[in-house]
Amino acid sequence: MPFKLQRREEHSAWMTLFSPLIAVALMLATGAALFASLGIDPVRGLTVYFLEPLQSAWSLQELVVKATPLILIGIGLSICYRANIWNIGAEGQFVAGALAGSYIPIMMVGWEGPLVFPAMIAAGMAGGALFALIPAALKVRFGANEILTSLLLVYVAQFFLDWLVRGPWRDPEGFNFPESRLFDSDAITPLIFEGGRMHIGFPVAVIIALLAAFYLTRTIHGFQIQVIGESPRAARFAGFSQNKMIFFAFAVSGALAGLAGIMEVAGPIGQLRPTISPGYGFTAIIVAFLGRLNPIGIVIAGFVLALSYLGGEAAQVTLGISDKIARVFQGLLLFYVLACDTFIVYTFRRVGAVREAS
Amino acid sequence: MEIYEAIILTIITAATPLLLAACGELVAERAGILNLGVEGMMIMGAVGAFAVAFSTGSPYLGIAAGIGAGALASLPFAFLTISMVTNQVATGLALTILGLGLSGMIGDAYIGQPGVKLQPINIQGLSDLPYVGRILFSQDVIVYASIVLLVLVWIFLFKTRAGLSLRAVGDSHSSAHALGVSVRKVRYMAVIFGGACAGLAGAYLSLVYTPQWTEGMTAGRGWIAVVLVVFATWMPGRLLAGAYLFGAVLILQLHAQAAGVNIPSQFLSSLPYLATIIVLVLISRNRTLVKKNSPACLGKPFVPDV
């Protein structure tokens, strides 16, 4: 290979800022080629996919609605990934939170009042956190790889949801459809304005992002995360407990995924169904990386990935291609983000040049 | 056909894709690369095999296409993790997401189309033997290939010089590099081999297991294959036992569902995943066993000094 990686003397500030933008540009370029290969004019394809969803009030609201769970989950995951803890089962924790929170409107019919929704939120966050603590406990107690256990539990959560909505939680008046009863008005995520689609989840997500930013940069505990992630040895010498951090990171990310889950079923969906997420828990992994594991960056990245969902729907309706193209764009984006991040720490040198320098 | 024969035959069908994919992942991990994109490569193999078999009518061309699709899918992962030293966990996830999306797009045209089934090879005379004839001598070519492949991988890793180099790369890339082994080349080959194996596993799913295309038909088998490698503590021999054990769990829950056992089908369906977690926990408990064989440089990026 004529080029070799060489470590930079210090991280490139320029690349730190621009690497996500370059990644998005590369994704768009690849997307253009993909549209061309499908026989679609690339300009028209990209316009339909990435610009038209931004041009109507309805779809702008939809963008916020889809960005909300991505941001909430992404913030939780960024705390894990900063500590080098790999929770990739947020999709399952999202479902667990939705189920725990839905117990109230489905099984406690008749309870009304202003306390119903806060109780659902609390139950949802607790459900997500507890479900996330399973891989954490298996990791700490038995050394079981958390990547694999957290991922496998996603399937378990989804089957459990499927059982509930087809079995005990099916709406008795629902003509045998696999759906729960519709939640009562007290159990619905409050909307920002009447008749719209946006619910309070988005302002909540922004507040949580600000809190997370403060926590990560201005508190000792937040600093510990950084140390444990970047230098486990130094963290041990400093007396930071790796095991406590595993429990903490999983609990926080599980609670945030659970919060996203209960707000989604109590909000845009309004009931439980066999499928309650178009893969938010997995897409949020991309959100976390695109946002450079920075809470504010994650808010922005959440909108980029939300747009990829809307674009997929638009492409299906307008261009007549499969909405699976959204997953393709998402996967490509993660590839490019990771590749661009390499340039923050490394630079490419011609082999000859390296020899001269040394 | 006797009932025990039917059960053993279906266990073999369920175990074969796991064995193939895990075999490839084992080689990649022995070279120090943790590829979590097995699920994505496997489903690319499945859709590639289905598409080519459907349009040519030949299941054998389908197999070749599956292998090719899996290997091709592993290339961007190899380039990123080996040449660009990206995080292996995240890059593998990207590969899985991309593979699931791309296969869904390609496969849309084939939903509901009748597939081409790969037929078993009846070995004249032997397949009529009582008790074992149908089980041992009436399988399709991929089943036989999976066993041969496993033996070859074992011989390669532990009886050849090249295999020793590969293990050295996985255990201490700096030492291997200092001794003149091309760490990156070995890792590229290992990852591409892993992709080809995952692709073949996918081909088996869409040509034999259920000869049709359904979106996401790998259903987590790629992840189970990754766990199998840990279960086998990176030893090919134990992989065989593990794959057949997991194949049995996968298939027995289906038999139980068909027999109308009074347990909700969703609980039975989640059994293989729960069993996988339990097995992973049981193996991980014995930390010395895991440590002894796990490649020391697994998941660590390699940047040569010069």
Side-chain angles (χ1 to χ4, degrees), chain A residues 79-105:
Chain A
I79 291 176
C80 290
Y81 300 165
R82 274 169 179 254
N84 215 1
I85 294 164
W86 293 94
N87 176 7
I88 60 169
E91 183 80 2
Q93 293 140 24
F94 179 96
V95 170
L99 292 180
S102 301
Y103 178 86
I104 293 168

Side-chain angles (χ1 to χ4, degrees), chain B residues 23-276:
Chain B
C23 199
E25 177 70 6
L26 185 141
V27 172
E29 290 194 15
R30 275 284 186 177
I33 299 282
L34 175 66
N35 186 351
L36 295 183
V38 182
E39 182 85 1
M41 301 187 295
M42 199 191 242
I43 198 140
M44 286 305 289
V47 78
F50 186 94
V52 168
F54 179 79
S55 48
T56 63
S58 160
Y60 292 97
L61 286 177
I63 293 174
I67 295 172
L72 211 60
S74 74
L75 282 178
F77 173 87
F79 177 71
L80 257 72
T81 54
I82 300 167
S83 295
M84 303 279 292
V85 294
T86 59
N87 178 301
Q88 293 177 13
V89 174
T91 314
L93 288 172
L95 178 55
T96 289
I97 293 170
L98 186 67
L100 289 172
L102 212 52
S103 65
M105 274 185 81
I106 298 168
D108 250 12
Y110 301 106
I111 290 174
Q113 302 281 9
V116 181
K117 188 169 168 33
L118 177 67
Q119 296 302 330
I121 307 165
N122 282 310
I123 299 174
Q124 209 67 48
L126 290 176
S127 55
D128 298 327
L129 282 175
Y131 305 114
V132 296
R134 289 185 60 102
I135 294 167
L136 291 182
F137 301 109
S138 186
Q139 296 291 347
D140 57 73
V141 61
I142 303 183
V143 171
Y144 294 128
S146 71
I147 305 292
V148 173
L149 190 72
L150 189 76
V151 174
L152 290 178
V153 162
W154 180 79
I155 293 174
F156 170 77
L157 283 178
F158 297 102
K159 302 287 168 199
T160 70
R161 201 180 159 76
L164 183 66
S165 294
L166 184 140
R167 286 187 290 134
V169 165
D171 274 327
S172 172
H173 45 219
S174 308
S175 313
H177 176 68
L179 287 169
V181 178
S182 172
V183 172
R184 290 176 176 174
K185 204 157 123 194
V186 169
R187 289 192 165 164
Y188 263 101
M189 306 287 267
V191 169
I192 294 169
F193 175 76
C197 289
L200 180 57
Y204 189 80
L205 289 176
S206 66
L207 297 176
V208 181
Y209 193 80
T210 43
Q212 56 182 334
W213 168 254
T214 33
E215 204 203 326
M217 67 187 295
T218 43
R221 284 186 183 81
W223 293 100
I224 295 181
V226 178
V227 176
L228 267 176
V229 177
V230 184
F231 171 84
T233 58
W234 295 270
M235 302 296 278
R238 293 176 196 162
L239 212 53
L240 187 68
Y244 276 77
L245 182 75
F246 277 86
V249 176
L250 273 172
I251 219 64
L252 289 180
Q253 60 92 4
L254 279 182
H255 282 295
Q257 287 190 26
V261 177
N262 196 15
I263 300 173
S265 67
Q266 293 92 344
F267 289 6
L268 290 169
S269 300
S270 55
L271 262 186
Y273 307 100
L274 285 171
T276 309

